Amino acid sequence: QVQLAESGGGLVQDGGSLRLSCAASGRAFSHYGMAWFRQAPGKEREFVAAISYSGHTTTYTESVKGRFTISRDNAKNMVYLQMNNLRLEDTAVYSCAGRDSIFEWLPTDSGPYPYWGQGTQVTVSS
């Protein structure tokens, strides 16, 4: 089992950047596929990005491709989401999620991820 804690959210202007971090505690983090999801007020949770246990495979939702980058450091038990050229519509609570998987396949639904952090607020202002 792994516990997850996000940090790095905040208020940023349209076009700005933020880097979110997700710290994992527990054993065998290097065997976990990880993902970022977000939920805006009044909307359903949506997939943002995912990275395989090895870090070799990543996938993104279309709206963030070319702007966001997911990465991980297994030695530090960390996952990151670098967000550049932020837009007003990126405002949401961002949560990291994990699943025990040594496959490169990355689910984009929330159901396959049993472990979740509390979330961190990202607000983009004009």
Side-chain angles (χ1 to χ4, degrees):
Q1 188 170 344
V2 64
Q3 290 79 44
L4 304 173
E6 304 91 339
S7 62
L11 177 64
V12 63
Q13 286 193 324
D14 188 15
S17 298
L18 280 176
R19 189 178 83 153
L20 304 183
S21 299
C22 176
S25 60
R27 298 189 296 176
F29 172 74
S30 61
H31 292 177
Y32 282 74
M34 300 297 295
W36 288 94
F37 288 79
R38 65 187 180 186
Q39 187 167 18
K43 295 187 177 181
E44 294 187 353
R45 179 187 287 164
E46 68 167 339
F47 170 79
V48 177
I51 187 167
S52 64
Y53 77 103
S54 66
H56 293 160
T57 304
T58 59
T59 189
Y60 300 87
T61 192
E62 193 64 34
S63 64
V64 309
K65 284 181 180 178
R67 301 189 297 122
F68 291 10
T69 302
I70 188 171
S71 61
R72 67 188 297 159
D73 185 338
N74 284 346
K76 296 181 178 180
N77 281 15
M78 296 292 294
V79 176
Y80 305 100
L81 185 68
Q82 178 66 44
M83 304 186 296
N84 298 329
N85 192 19
L86 282 160
R87 304 168 180 169
L88 296 177
E89 56 264 36
D90 294 319
T91 295
V93 174
Y94 285 70
S95 300
C96 66
R99 63 191 295 266
D100 189 351
S101 171
I102 58 170
F103 296 105
E104 293 296 318
W105 172 71
L106 297 170
T108 58
D109 292 335
S110 60
Y113 296 91
Y115 306 115
W116 291 81
Q118 293 296 314
T120 186
Q121 176 71 46
V122 172
T123 303
V124 184
S125 64
S126 58

